[in-house]
Amino acid sequence: MRFAFYPGCAALAIAKEAYRSTLLLAERLGLELVEMVRANCCGAGLFNDKNRELNLTLNGRTLAQAEEMGLPIMTICNTCFMVLNRARAELDRDDYLRDKVNHHLARIGLRYRGEVKVKHLLQVVVEDVGIDRVKGLVRRPLRRLQVGAFYGCHILRPSEAVAFEDPDRPRSLDDLILAIGAEPVDYEGRTKCCGFQLDLVSPHLAYRMIGKRIMECRDRGGETMITGCPLCHINLDSYQGYAGKEVGFKLDMPTFHLSQLLGFAMGFSEEEMGFAKHLVSPERVLKDRGLL
Amino acid sequence: MRIKVKIKRCDPTGRGGCEPYLQAYDVDVKEGMTILETLMWIKENLDGTLSFRRSCRSAICGSCALVVNGTPKLACKTQILREYEGAREVVLSPLSNFRVIKDLVVDLSPLWDKIGRIEPWLQPGSEPPEGGWIITKDEVERIDRESRCILCGICNSGCNSQEVDPEFIGPSAAAKVYRFVGDVREDGKRRRLERVSGPHGIWDCSRCVMCNEYCPKRVEPMTSIEKLRVEAIREGLVDNAGARHVEALVDSVNRVGRLDEAVYTFRSLGFLRSIGMIPLGIRLELHGKMPLPHIFPAIEGIEEVRELIRAVEEEE
């Protein structure tokens, strides 16, 4: 299985451990990733706040590049996944907009034809690789580890554009938690927002959201969280200290990238998966469970 | 088919105040039966004390909004068997983010206050010309979605920003603002945009997409908020963190094709608030996560990105 790999800005800078662990995991899963080195940032939705046509044109460029490569896109970021799919859906629905965007793209010798698929790593793992294959690759079952799946917003909504799974009752991450031998924790905020887009705008609202999500998971017995989005990870991990102050509770919730926990269960070491990059260390809980 | 319908109830006159509890009712449901019909049947045949709001039964009045298995919906527009099949149970709760008055009835007055505060009426600068305003089809379509709102409160119930900030303008009132900002006859556009550019305004939307996902009339309030942001920036209302955030991102992409996180953070927050981030910066650095500015070169093909940004700007 070959994919045009669109890692997104966060995984290339602040969340490099997501990028590196994805490359190792992909090899283990037999995914061939051709990185889109010429692709631009998706804008995280903010292009739409400036000019809707700018959003469609710059994301149209990425979509058209993948079409030229003849490969479906795979991203490891919820927001890139949503933004690219939302742009794709808008361009596919509206001939007038598509002509306009193609008029711009013609200046750089590209054309969006409406053939490309945009997938998320999580989707590729459950749909293309398959849960059974994942089970078969597990070398270090994460027995008794209580893991809260944090789906986040943009892998589920708008469901019409991202077209992945039931936005009200998603199960892919929970199925994977079971597949690697761990125990999924059900909690209220699993499909809610991490607040990332407010980090630099209204930080206290973001911190409250982070605090709520972590407390919701903790109150149901969660001792770690897993997310398929490096932006959610930045908030749940790097901003956890601020969130704790906001909710008046000392939080200590290690959070893993999807690729990290799958890779770790498949036998990669904590160094290879980059656990030391996290601000909230998973060492204690992994030792408690006899996994380190 | 006989199923159990669980309803989250509370009675303010009871001993425990409005302490919520779950009550189950056995109901024979038929294919095509709505949740509202189920509630009416329970009230008529099993329990006259059950309270809920309803009126039109055809998704026009917006009275019967509630939460079905965790998702805000209109009771009259939702078939009970479909819900049961999906979750193997039916749990009905009052809308979230509102105070419960009794059972499924919530106090919507904060919503009415927000709608009232945005002055939900047209404010044209002059009398209509002789023969009335002539409005084109395109001009109507611009605000068609926003005109459909039935004020049911479903978007407010799902809104993740409203959950952490009850003062947040909320999706429904924001969509209503665009209904007038986007109206060619409106004269108070700038004043309206100034009002929503401040605290608790349009820049506090976290883009969780709940409102777009669940609005039963497909108003797409989050998209309305994006349109308001575009208009606010065009009007030059850029002296706030939200607008700076957008400008910093577009500049970064124009410069290197990607997000230059450090410069972007600095520009969004401004000098003083950036200083407050230094402790976090040091911790990030210790974990090898600190995004350093300018250490990554521009992406290959950056001139294409600049060309496209220029092309769109020229057109504007």
Side-chain angles (χ1 to χ4, degrees), chain A residues 2-8 32-36 39-40 42 58-77 80-81 83-85 88 112 115-121 123-124 128:
Chain A
R2 290 183 86 206
F3 291 92
F5 180 40
Y6 184 89
E32 193 185 332
L33 305 183
V34 186
E35 190 164 331
M36 300 182 73
N40 50 264
C42 76
L58 289 179
N59 286 300
R61 176 174 178 267
T62 306
L63 298 170
Q65 282 175 340
E67 285 182 343
E68 264 202 347
M69 294 164 77
L71 295 172
I73 293 175
M74 186 188 93
T75 169
I76 52 173
C77 170
C80 297
F81 175 68
V83 169
L84 286 167
N85 267 315
R88 182 192 52 68
Y112 171 67
E115 292 161 4
V116 71
K117 267 203 164 57
V118 182
K119 292 192 141 191
H120 187 286
L121 171 67
Q123 191 179 13
V124 169
D128 299 314

Side-chain angles (χ1 to χ4, degrees), chain B residues 152-283:
Chain B
C152 61
I154 280 177
C155 59
N156 300 86
S157 173
C159 179
N160 281 199
S161 284
Q162 189 171 325
E163 185 184 18
V164 294
D165 176 16
E167 293 301 307
F168 175 55
I169 182 169
S172 44
K176 191 65 81 187
V177 174
Y178 188 77
R179 189 258 162 261
F180 296 104
V181 164
D183 192 312
V184 286
R185 299 165 297 177
E186 172 71 21
D187 191 50
K189 180 174 162 182
R190 186 178 169 91
R191 197 170 41 82
R192 289 185 190 274
L193 290 169
E194 278 170 0
R195 281 200 197 165
V196 296
S197 293
H200 316 294
I202 49 175
W203 297 106
D204 281 351
C205 161
S206 74
R207 227 186 289 265
C208 72
V209 209
M210 290 282 185
C211 56
N212 276 19
E213 183 72 30
Y214 297 120
C215 173
K217 307 305 276 188
R218 300 175 64 85
V219 171
E220 297 194 2
M222 187 190 81
T223 313
S224 312
I225 290 175
E226 291 176 340
K227 291 187 279 189
L228 286 169
R229 290 172 171 180
V230 170
E231 294 295 333
I233 291 176
R234 279 193 187 141
E235 280 287 327
L237 301 169
V238 291
D239 190 21
N240 58 67
R244 277 199 298 273
H245 191 223
V246 172
E247 299 286 7
L249 179 117
V250 175
D251 279 358
S252 172
V253 173
N254 193 35
R255 200 158 39 75
V256 291
R258 299 196 340 214
L259 194 53
D260 187 341
E261 281 158 322
V263 173
Y264 167 73
T265 303
F266 188 77
R267 284 208 37 198
S268 301
L269 290 177
F271 180 69
L272 280 177
R273 282 171 69 203
S274 297
I275 290 177
M277 298 301 280
I278 289 174
L280 177 63
I282 292 170
R283 290 190 66 203

